[in-house]
Amino acid sequence: MTTPSRITIIAGNWKMHYGPRQASRFASEIVPELGLLVHQNPHILSILCPPAISLSAVCEVMDAHLFRGIELGAQNMYFEEKGAYTGEISPPMVRELCTTAILGHSERRTYFGETDEMVTQFPAQHVKKVVVAYEPIWAIGTGKAATAEGAGNVIHLIRQLYGEMYGSEAAAALRILYGGSVTPDNISEFVAHPDIDGALVGGASIKSDFVEIVRKTIEVMQQ
Ligand code: PGA
């Protein structure tokens, strides 16, 4: 069982799905139910990460429902504050609507050449705000998820390494999620594992399955 005082995070990475109109429709479908679920449980946080162009549309739907516990995230951002960087969005821009940004996703590295050097351009004081997602590349979008035990072992190791770099207090506070073919059928195993603090969900986050994933997570938290 997850420790009740720790926040479990279920984030949905919509990837390149849903422009503003479709995003608004889909958000209107899931936000009311999702909102009710997370509203009743202060230890879960659900983050929706639509494409950048659809952030405002989803934000409007969320504002209309005024639920605590659902936040917005960007799928990527560039580290400069502003300037001649065609096509990019900056941290201050993201901050206007979002609490979170995904950085260094393996698809950004594979298709857009992002490197560790680019991803780690943020000042060290922000390290406390980082949430790590462990996503084995072979599990992303393949329908072949890791086992909870396997993911838990790697996550345990990540926490240890993080502790060596930033101290044991920071390591204990660090949230580490599992990602890769998470579905309503396997989420319970992952969130029941004591080392796993939630999930980064891709394919299942653009369907009503996402609400089911959150519902099952809450069931595990209440056991
Ligand atoms: P998936 O994607 O759930 O479709 O495997 C996860 C991710 O890439 O974040």
Side-chain angles (χ1 to χ4, degrees):
M1 199 177 90
T2 42
T3 315
S5 61
R6 287 173 77 86
I7 299 283
T8 297
I9 299 171
I10 303 291
N13 173 9
W14 297 9
K15 306 194 179 184
M16 202 170 71
H17 295 281
Y18 299 159
R21 287 196 195 98
Q22 279 183 305
S24 176
R25 265 199 298 276
F26 176 61
S28 304
E29 274 167 41
I30 64 163
V31 163
E33 207 178 343
L34 201 56
L36 273 180
L37 283 171
V38 298
H39 191 68
Q40 287 158 8
N41 193 318
H43 301 298
I44 187 159
L45 175 62
S46 176
I47 306 173
L48 306 180
C49 307
I53 197 169
S54 303
L55 282 167
S56 296
V58 177
C59 190
E60 274 174 29
V61 173
M62 283 164 52
D63 281 352
H65 291 279
L66 284 177
F67 283 119
R68 182 200 47 72
I70 312 182
E71 295 181 358
L72 261 188
Q75 293 180 14
N76 198 37
M77 67 183 178
Y78 192 54
F79 52 84
E80 293 290 352
E81 300 261 306
K82 60 181 174 182
Y85 303 102
T86 302
E88 293 300 319
I89 55 173
S90 71
M93 293 173 184
V94 167
R95 225 178 283 128
E96 285 191 25
L97 296 180
C98 304
T99 57
T100 306
I102 300 171
L103 297 174
H105 189 282
S106 61
E107 287 154 12
R108 296 293 317 168
R109 294 167 189 262
T110 304
Y111 303 122
F112 306 101
E114 286 188 8
T115 60
D116 284 348
E117 204 189 16
M118 291 160 83
V119 173
T120 53
Q121 289 294 320
F122 296 93
Q125 78 256 26
H126 294 325
V127 118
K128 282 196 185 139
K129 297 183 191 162
V130 165
V131 174
V132 172
Y134 163 58
E135 303 200 308
I137 291 173
W138 51 263
I140 296 180
T142 59
K144 291 186 192 126
T147 60
E149 196 194 349
N153 287 342
V154 179
I155 286 174
H156 193 81
L157 183 68
I158 293 171
R159 200 179 299 283
Q160 248 173 5
L161 294 172
Y162 194 86
E164 283 165 24
M165 291 165 80
Y166 301 109
S168 52
E169 210 179 300
L174 177 69
R175 250 81 292 251
I176 310 182
L177 316 182
Y178 167 75
S181 296
V182 170
T183 66
D185 291 335
N186 61 25
I187 185 66
S188 305
E189 285 175 60
F190 290 113
V191 290
H193 194 290
D195 286 299
I196 304 178
D197 300 313
L200 178 55
V201 184
S205 74
I206 54 167
K207 303 186 259 182
S208 57
D209 281 3
F210 190 68
V211 179
E212 227 21 62
I213 287 172
V214 170
R215 190 193 313 283
K216 295 220 164 158
T217 301
I218 292 174
E219 276 168 22
V220 171
M221 293 166 77
Q222 287 172 341
Q223 275 162 22

